[in-house]
């Protein structure tokens, strides 16, 4: 594929608001996981919560979109000069030539959960201030972001569980290659809700402890929330030699099970190999892998086998979900941005909470932070139902 320039990026999650806050937490090994205190949820688990959401107020003209998910989206758009960068892109391309492609798993479903607590006792009707289309509807996220940024290009939402905001990179590549748009706002947002917490708990996938990716005693995920956005543009001769690039994308489907990954990691292996092929790179060209690493028994074992087959035991790897929790539909964009921070700062994030590595997974998994020259990284996102996506990011060398 033709590399695309990632000219601007922004992030908001439990580690803080903005790239600097996230980087600072990574360097100081400060996890965003806390004991669960969310609404009236009665679960013994840990969550990664963005505390500033409650104080966030929607832009007045977008009041109908007011819900936790869109507030989090607004917080993300307000960081790192992202909205200003999009304004400049509008002057360069026109608003109608910039697409919006976003991922989410549950959108603003919390708004519906809370609305059901206020049903009319006589009629059973939902409260009149509940706006389904602007809050819970999956497209509400793209609708909100498009209106917030004043864009008019093609827009849609991908909801493929945990791979959602990685797969939108692939959609943007195709839309730009087809000439449908000249630039794209790509990203994802997912926020805490009752359905996610109780749903994963009912599947026996929620840990009572802060999640421990690739640990021998790992026992499940810690649910988190977050938002992230990047601005994709075509690469030109005017770009600097160290411009951050989307170099390759690989997708696959396990076609194996509704919630369990293929035990041999066949789909994951295929996605990673396709990403390398797309970038025209070999496995030895990758300097760091940000793993999907959910801390469930099956995910880490399956992904570990696939990584070992494609990359062997030399490439440093880690999962950063011990910091951010599993942000589900926002995991792909968050971890892609963390992988880009690794390139920018020559920094390999380790794995907080992981104590004793699983001896059956033969990869170069890093618990402690490290430093070194990093030019190209691979970021994995593997969703329920075996919806897989791997991204290759970095610089030309």
């Amino acid at each position: 594929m033709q590399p695309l320039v990632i000219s601007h990026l922004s992030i908001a999650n439990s580690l803080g608001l903005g790239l600097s806050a996230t980087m600072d937490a990574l360097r100081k090994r400060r996890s965003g996981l806390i004991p669960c205190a969310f609404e009236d949820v009665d679960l013994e688990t840990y969550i990664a919560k963005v505390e500033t959401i409650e104080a966030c107020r929607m832009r007045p003209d977008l009041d109908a979109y007011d819900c936790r998910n869109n507030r989090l989206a607004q917080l993300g758009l307000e960081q790192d000069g992202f909205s200003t960068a999009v304004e400049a892109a509008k002057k360069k391309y026109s608003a109608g030539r910039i697409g919006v492609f976003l991922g989410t798993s549950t959108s603003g479903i919390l708004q519906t959960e809370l609305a059901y607590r206020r049903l009319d006792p006589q009629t059973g009707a939902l409260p009149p201030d509940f706006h389904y289309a602007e809050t819970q509807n999956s497209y509400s996220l793209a609708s909100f972001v498009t209106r917030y940024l004043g864009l008019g290009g093609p827009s849609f939402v991908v909801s493929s569980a945990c791979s959602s905001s990685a797969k939108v990179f692939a959609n943007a590549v195709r839309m730009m290659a087809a000439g449908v748009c000249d630039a794209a706002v790509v990203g994802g947002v997912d926020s805490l809700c009752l359905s996610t917490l109780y749903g994963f708990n009912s599947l026996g996938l929620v840990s009572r402890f802060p999640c421990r990716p690739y640990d021998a005693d790992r026992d499940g995920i810690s649910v988190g929330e977050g938002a992230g956005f990047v601005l994709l543009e075509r690469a030109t001769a005017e770009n600097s030699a160290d411009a951050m690039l989307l170099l390759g994308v690989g997708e696959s489907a396990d076609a194996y099970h509704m919630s369990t990954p293929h035990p041999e990691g066949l789909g994951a292996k295929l996605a990673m190999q396709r990403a390398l092929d797309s970038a025209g790179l070999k496995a030895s060209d990758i300097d760091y892998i940000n793993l999907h690493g959910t801390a469930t028994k099956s995910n880490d074992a399956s992904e570990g086998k696939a990584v070992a087959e494609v990359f062997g035991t030399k490439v440093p790897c880690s999962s950063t979900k011990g910091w951010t929790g599993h942000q589900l539909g926002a995991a792909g964009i968050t971890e892609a941005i963390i992988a880009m921070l690794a390139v920018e700062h020559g920094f390999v994030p380790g794995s907080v909470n992981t104590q004793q590595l699983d001896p059956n997974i033969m990869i170069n998994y890093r618990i402690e932070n490290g430093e070194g020259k990093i030019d190209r990284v691979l970021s994995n996102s593997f969703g329920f139902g075996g919806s897989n996506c791997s991204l290759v990011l970095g610089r030309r060398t």
Side-chain angles (χ1 to χ4, degrees):
M1 61 167 270
Q2 285 295 115
L4 297 175
V5 173
I6 300 172
S7 58
H8 294 85
L9 50 162
S10 70
I11 194 169
N13 55 53
S14 60
L15 302 182
L17 304 180
L19 299 168
S20 295
T22 295
M23 193 63 211
D24 185 62
L26 293 171
R27 286 195 184 282
K28 294 178 178 175
R29 296 183 68 82
R30 176 176 55 79
S31 170
L33 295 176
I34 58 172
C36 182
F38 178 71
E39 295 293 335
D40 57 357
V41 172
D42 183 17
L43 292 175
E44 185 182 2
T45 186
Y46 281 69
I47 60 173
K49 182 180 178 185
V50 180
E51 298 290 353
T52 48
I53 291 179
E54 283 80 3
C56 177
R57 292 292 173 265
M58 304 295 287
R59 210 171 67 186
D61 60 314
L62 297 173
D63 267 350
Y65 288 87
D66 191 11
C67 67
R68 189 175 186 88
N69 211 55
N70 289 333
R71 288 186 185 190
L72 185 48
Q74 182 170 300
L75 281 175
L77 293 169
E78 290 172 346
Q79 307 311 312
D80 304 300
F82 191 79
S83 297
T84 302
V86 173
E87 279 300 311
K90 285 161 62 177
K91 293 176 182 173
K92 182 177 181 181
Y93 302 108
S94 86
R97 294 293 298 172
I98 302 175
V100 175
F101 312 115
L102 304 174
T104 188
S105 68
T106 54
S107 191
I109 196 171
L110 175 66
Q111 200 70 5
T112 305
E113 294 168 343
L114 298 177
Y116 265 82
R117 295 177 175 180
R118 298 188 291 124
L119 292 176
D120 186 295
Q122 303 301 319
T123 67
L126 287 161
D129 61 352
F130 171 64
H131 305 288
Y132 171 83
E134 291 84 1
T135 57
Q136 185 191 323
N137 185 300
S138 292
Y139 181 70
S140 67
L141 173 61
S143 177
F144 169 72
V145 170
T146 296
R147 293 192 60 179
Y148 184 91
L149 296 174
L151 298 176
S155 63
F156 56 75
V157 163
V158 171
S159 188
S160 59
C162 313
S163 63
S164 303
S165 58
K167 291 180 75 68
V168 289
F169 282 87
N171 284 282
V173 168
R174 289 189 282 269
M175 297 292 271
M176 291 175 69
V180 178
C181 54
D182 296 320
V185 172
V186 169
V189 183
D190 240 348
S191 48
L192 293 170
C193 61
L194 309 182
S195 298
T196 297
L197 286 163
Y198 284 117
F200 277 103
N201 185 65
S202 69
L203 292 171
L205 295 177
V206 172
S207 176
R208 291 188 296 119
F209 309 100
C211 70
R212 296 165 287 178
Y214 282 80
D215 194 290
D217 296 323
R218 65 188 182 278
D219 61 353
I221 71 172
S222 301
V223 178
E225 61 186 355
F229 300 96
V230 305
L231 178 61
L232 284 177
E233 302 181 65
R234 291 192 178 91
T236 70
E238 297 175 357
N239 297 130
S240 66
D242 62 350
M244 191 65 66
L245 301 171
L246 173 63
L247 295 165
V249 180
E251 298 174 278
S252 71
D254 280 7
Y256 173 75
H257 191 274
M258 285 294 289
S259 60
T260 301
H262 192 286
E264 299 302 318
L266 296 185
K269 180 181 172 183
L270 194 57
M272 289 187 284
Q273 191 59 60
R274 284 175 173 169
L276 290 173
D277 294 345
S278 171
L281 296 173
K282 304 185 297 294
S284 58
D285 294 322
I286 300 300
D287 302 310
Y288 165 66
I289 301 172
N290 190 293
L291 300 163
H292 189 55
T294 60
T296 63
K297 288 288 187 186
S298 59
N299 174 88
D300 293 4
S302 170
E303 182 181 28
K305 286 181 181 178
V307 170
E309 286 200 33
V310 177
F311 293 95
T313 59
K314 290 186 178 178
V315 181
C317 310
S318 67
S319 164
T320 47
K321 287 185 171 64
W323 267 282
T324 64
H326 193 343
Q327 298 174 52
L328 308 175
I333 184 65
T334 298
E335 290 157 18
I337 289 174
I338 288 175
M340 286 186 269
L341 289 174
V343 175
E344 182 179 348
H345 295 276
F347 173 79
V348 176
S351 181
V352 290
N353 309 323
T354 302
Q355 300 294 322
Q356 184 67 40
L357 289 177
D358 187 334
N360 297 312
I361 302 178
M362 306 300 289
I363 60 175
N364 185 6
Y365 193 86
R366 300 294 181 91
I367 294 178
E368 300 299 327
N369 291 348
E371 294 184 352
K373 189 172 187 297
I374 300 175
D375 290 318
R376 286 167 297 229
V377 296
L378 181 133
S379 181
N380 283 339
S381 297
F382 303 142
F384 261 179
S387 175
N388 309 303
C389 187
S390 297
L391 307 173
V392 177
L393 306 146
R395 295 172 170 145
R396 298 182 195 275
T397 59

